Amino acid sequence: MASKGSHRVKTSIATVSISGTLDEKLEAIAAAGYDGIELFEQDFIAFDGSPSDFRRRVQDHGLEISMFQPLRDFEGLPEPLRAKAFDRAEHKFDLMQALGTDLMGICSSVHPAALGGIDRAAADFHELGERAAARGLRVGYEALSWGRYVNDHRDAWEIVRRADHECIGLILDSFHTLSRKIDPNTIRSIPGDKICYVQLADAPAFDMDVLYWSRHFRNMPGEGDLACTDFMRAVMATGYDGPISLEIFNDQFRGGCTGQVALDGYRSIIATMDDVRQAEPTIQVDLPPIPPRVKAAGVAYIEFATQDEEAREMEGLLGTLGFEKAGTHASKAATLWQQGEVRIILNEETTGHAGTAFEKCGTTICDIGFAVADAKAAMERVIALGSKPFDSEKGPGSADIPAVLGPTNSVLHFIDDSAGLARIWEKEFGVKTAAKGAGITHIDHHNQTVSHDNMLSWVLFYTSTFDMVKSPMIDVFDPDGLVRSQVVESPGGGLKVTLNGADSNRTLAGRFLSRSFGASVQHLALATDDIFTTAEALIKRGFEPLPMPENYYDDLSARFDFPTGLVKRMQERGILYDRDMDGAFFQLYSRTFARGMFFEIVQRDPRYAGFGAANAPFRIAAQKRAQIAKG
Ligand code: MG
Ligand code: MG
């Protein structure tokens, strides 16, 4: 893949970034597509075998050790500590030769006895360079953002420059540069051949002690708020062509799903490097061409796995929501329910993906079909970013709808207006025209409830696959715990997703999560242009709105100025209200069904940017009350 004169993207991940035994880690790292690992000594020490056994284990997985970090607090020490530091280095050099790796990483010292001085540190590294050269090894020096004297890559570079040794290079770490708000463009004046290693990490924008922030909250590029792409642009502009490695200390990842975290990391490197190439086309990045982020128009269809009496209940519920059965699948036990542009498939197959989903947790959403501008390009992009195609079975009846395995083993389809896909509903379900129903026009947004660690996976998946941006994370209060919520949205709002991260099994979201499947869609918000007319039509069909308490409406009257009679009209129909600086938002909720799912009907002023978050605690309390009442 590497072409002459261009930069080869070599990917790596620190073994401390993911959870599991060494073999689990190596397997996940290799499966995700990385070239190498960055070895922290603790992972070697915990290994029950010789260095050559370890080396073989790594090679068996087709990986290499791209860097080894066994040494701290090396430079600037007075004697006799200085001599001891060199002895330690020699000992680790022995180990590196046995492990078959040639690059040692050393971070700037935090030793209480260390002395300052650029020249003193440079002299230490010159001597270390001589010793490394004798063995054919190299050493990289990295500024920790909390280093005692050196906490800025510019000072680390000055030390490396003055050390003036071919075996001494500079290690750059996006976290250390960006967490201290150092302009990454200062990297552009460093010669690329003196940079021997680059570590990439993002982090959420927290205002906290930088050491604690680094050790617990780093995350994959694109999952946090640091300018990782700007950092990599500057690095690549120097002509750097070494490994790009993830060094991610994160409490959730250490306890998270090994394979998912490894895959997220790979996706984040490739997406970042593709962004570098897009942002600065003169920089050569050696990656095969990848289609740009996919333009998403919205959700084309939602598929429920359901069976037997639960399927009849679903049909009943969809009927009260104004949906009509638009067609029956030619060969599968599946029906299509339609209203406006909303398509819901009820899949009653007892085998295959839907069968598995139902068996695992009863009626559940087992597939999301995204309406995109170009389904083929979408597929190419997600595959290039590390996803696996899902082809063990067809989409809703058709061989032609491209599908992928998304995060948390979800199945996702891409559908566009191309010749093969536009007529799929007619071809598979015999559908010609959409029912008008109760005035529901399209899906406003869908909500996924996932665990806290999977929330980052989904944010990264959406923002790296689609042209979508993420909102800041907010906290939603359930009477029994805290739920974290984040929105990802396409420009213009065609595709809007609210993601909830839940841990406590006692929250409504957490209870749902413990019994959910795949993307774990918990609610679908259906749009109408006139919520009062729609509400009346639904109630006529037997729809039971979620009852809201009188206190809620008293509070609304106190908070907003309403025209006479409006609050009463909302109260009579169970309609909720929110507004921001620019527009209003009306919501109507169903009661929960199928172990905690629900529908929401919304009327959105196009200028309103939110999702009614202010109402969430009252909605959750009302849903819990309704569940208890139902028994
Ligand atoms: Mg580092
Ligand atoms: Mg909602």
Side-chain angles (χ1 to χ4, degrees):
M1 246 178 263
S3 61
K4 215 170 176 216
S6 69
H7 306 294
R8 231 182 112 233
V9 174
K10 258 191 161 187
T11 55
S12 175
I13 184 168
T15 49
V16 285
S17 305
I18 57 176
S19 64
T21 63
L22 180 70
D23 277 321
E24 285 165 349
K25 290 182 182 193
L26 294 176
E27 203 172 310
I29 291 168
Y34 295 88
D35 301 300
I37 60 164
E38 182 185 323
L39 181 61
F40 271 60
E41 197 176 28
Q42 63 200 67
D43 269 328
F44 170 70
I45 295 170
F47 174 71
D48 184 21
S50 70
S52 53
D53 289 341
F54 191 96
R55 174 186 196 161
R56 217 170 306 116
R57 201 70 70 86
V58 173
Q59 284 171 345
D60 285 348
H61 286 91
L63 298 167
E64 59 178 27
I65 303 173
S66 60
M67 204 256 276
F68 185 45
Q69 291 209 52
L71 205 58
R72 299 195 158 270
D73 296 336
F74 167 76
E75 80 281 16
L77 291 169
E79 293 295 357
L81 293 171
R82 183 176 185 276
K84 282 220 176 75
F86 276 93
D87 289 347
R88 278 193 290 139
E90 291 282 1
H91 177 75
K92 299 304 178 187
F93 284 161
D94 294 340
L95 181 55
M96 285 171 68
Q97 289 180 304
L99 284 167
T101 182
D102 75 332
L103 180 61
M104 175 190 281
I106 297 181
C107 295
S108 57
S109 181
V110 295
H111 198 292
L115 304 167
I118 296 267
D119 280 329
R120 185 191 322 273
D124 287 349
F125 277 107
H126 183 86
E127 185 176 337
L128 192 63
E130 289 287 291
R131 297 191 189 203
R135 297 164 180 258
L137 302 177
R138 297 175 298 142
V139 175
Y141 181 53
E142 173 185 5
L144 287 180
S145 44
W146 56 88
R148 190 163 155 85
Y149 297 107
V150 175
N151 53 27
D152 183 321
H153 67 251
R154 289 167 294 192
D155 293 333
W157 160 234
E158 185 57 21
I159 288 169
V160 168
R161 195 182 69 80
R162 291 194 198 187
D164 191 24
H165 197 286
E166 59 173 0
C167 296
I168 300 296
L170 179 68
I171 296 178
L172 293 167
D173 180 323
S174 61
F175 180 87
H176 295 307
T177 294
L178 300 172
S179 65
R180 294 194 64 242
K181 300 192 168 63
I182 299 166
D183 181 358
N185 287 314
T186 54
I187 291 168
R188 290 181 188 247
S189 58
I190 300 171
D193 61 0
K194 291 302 287 181
I195 303 169
C196 60
Y197 205 73
V198 171
Q199 294 172 321
L200 205 45
D202 204 339
F206 291 156
D207 191 10
M208 64 164 67
D209 171 65
V210 69
L211 172 58
Y212 194 80
W213 189 21
S214 174
R215 293 262 167 91
H216 300 274
F217 295 100
R218 285 183 177 219
N219 55 23
M220 303 301 179
E223 291 181 345
D225 300 308
L226 300 181
C228 290
T229 302
D230 293 346
F231 172 87
M232 274 319 298
R233 281 172 66 182
V235 168
M236 297 308 283
T238 68
Y240 174 74
D241 64 357
I244 298 161
S245 186
L246 299 166
E247 188 193 39
I248 315 291
F249 310 104
N250 181 299
D251 299 344
Q252 286 170 19
F253 296 173
R254 286 186 187 113
C257 167
T258 309
Q260 183 68 53
V261 175
L263 196 59
D264 290 347
Y266 183 80
R267 172 174 289 133
S268 75
I269 295 182
I270 303 297
T272 301
M273 296 312 288
D274 186 49
D275 288 344
V276 165
R277 176 166 61 183
Q278 302 290 341
E280 204 162 330
T282 50
I283 297 178
Q284 283 193 44
V285 176
D286 193 12
L287 285 175
I290 301 174
R293 281 185 172 72
V294 180
K295 299 246 178 283
V299 171
Y301 70 87
I302 285 282
E303 182 170 333
F304 283 82
T306 186
Q307 286 176 27
D308 307 323
E309 60 271 30
E310 290 196 25
R312 305 292 82 72
E313 278 170 33
M314 275 307 298
E315 291 177 348
L317 177 60
L318 291 178
T320 68
L321 284 163
F323 285 85
E324 284 167 30
K325 193 197 282 186
T328 301
H329 194 269
S331 58
K332 278 188 185 178
T335 51
L336 176 65
W337 294 69
Q338 211 165 303
Q339 181 175 193
E341 292 169 24
V342 186
R343 292 186 191 88
I344 292 176
I345 295 165
L346 299 184
N347 188 334
E348 296 183 55
E349 290 285 311
T350 52
T351 58
H353 176 64
T356 309
F358 183 83
E359 201 174 304
K360 191 175 168 244
C361 46
T363 295
T364 183
I365 289 175
C366 64
D367 185 1
I368 306 172
F370 293 103
V372 296
D374 183 342
K376 189 171 159 275
M379 200 60 190
E380 276 171 30
R381 181 167 176 90
V382 282
I383 300 298
L385 298 186
S387 287
K388 305 281 179 282
F390 177 77
D391 51 12
S392 68
E393 140 185 45
K394 329 273 183 230
S398 167
D400 306 326
I401 308 183
V404 78
L405 269 179
T408 55
N409 281 320
S410 54
V411 171
L412 310 170
H413 280 82
F414 300 112
I415 189 159
D416 63 22
D417 287 334
S418 64
L421 297 176
R423 293 180 62 241
I424 216 112
W425 311 110
E426 199 180 320
K427 258 171 37 198
E428 304 292 331
F429 291 91
V431 178
K432 294 209 176 59
T433 51
K436 266 195 73 194
I440 283 163
T441 54
H442 62 281
I443 293 178
D444 180 85
H445 63 275
H446 70 277
N447 159 271
Q448 294 173 231
T449 292
V450 298
S451 65
H452 277 151
D453 50 321
N454 286 331
M455 193 156 164
L456 287 174
S457 303
W458 277 102
V459 168
L460 180 68
F461 179 83
Y462 277 118
T463 56
S464 64
T465 304
F466 298 106
D467 181 13
M468 286 180 104
V469 292
K470 63 182 182 201
S471 69
M473 210 178 266
I474 59 162
D475 294 333
V476 172
F477 295 96
D478 179 292
D480 295 304
L482 187 79
V483 175
R484 234 159 250 165
S485 186
Q486 190 161 27
V487 174
V488 284
E489 190 170 359
S490 61
L495 180 60
K496 295 193 280 287
V497 189
T498 58
L499 293 161
N500 284 349
D503 276 337
S504 163
N505 265 352
R506 293 173 59 215
T507 60
L508 191 76
R511 251 191 276 165
F512 166 76
L513 175 62
S514 64
R515 293 172 297 194
S516 69
F517 186 84
S520 49
V521 177
Q522 188 173 18
H523 81 256
L524 276 185
L526 308 169
T528 171
D529 294 331
D530 180 352
I531 198 158
F532 291 96
T533 305
T534 296
E536 272 144 41
L538 300 192
I539 291 163
K540 242 182 236 156
R541 286 168 157 87
F543 176 80
E544 292 183 295
L546 179 72
M548 294 299 293
E550 192 165 349
N551 291 345
Y552 173 77
Y553 294 98
D554 284 347
D555 178 58
L556 269 192
S557 308
R559 278 163 53 214
F560 302 106
D561 281 330
F562 289 110
T564 319
L566 186 58
V567 172
K568 189 156 177 285
R569 289 177 69 207
M570 288 194 278
Q571 185 168 6
E572 281 164 2
R573 294 159 183 86
I575 292 170
L576 292 75
Y577 179 84
D578 188 34
R579 69 172 300 126
D580 61 14
M581 297 290 278
D582 302 312
F585 190 57
F586 295 89
Q587 301 166 281
L588 174 69
Y589 284 98
S590 79
R591 298 165 192 239
T592 56
F593 65 95
R595 299 151 203 93
M597 301 178 75
F598 54 94
F599 283 97
E600 176 187 3
I601 292 103
V602 306
Q603 180 188 327
R604 174 187 292 276
D605 180 323
R607 292 164 304 178
Y608 172 85
F611 294 82
N615 288 325
F618 316 123
R619 180 263 300 169
I620 293 166
Q623 286 174 324
K624 285 190 157 177
R625 223 169 14 243
Q627 282 177 343
I628 292 164
K630 216 170 99 183

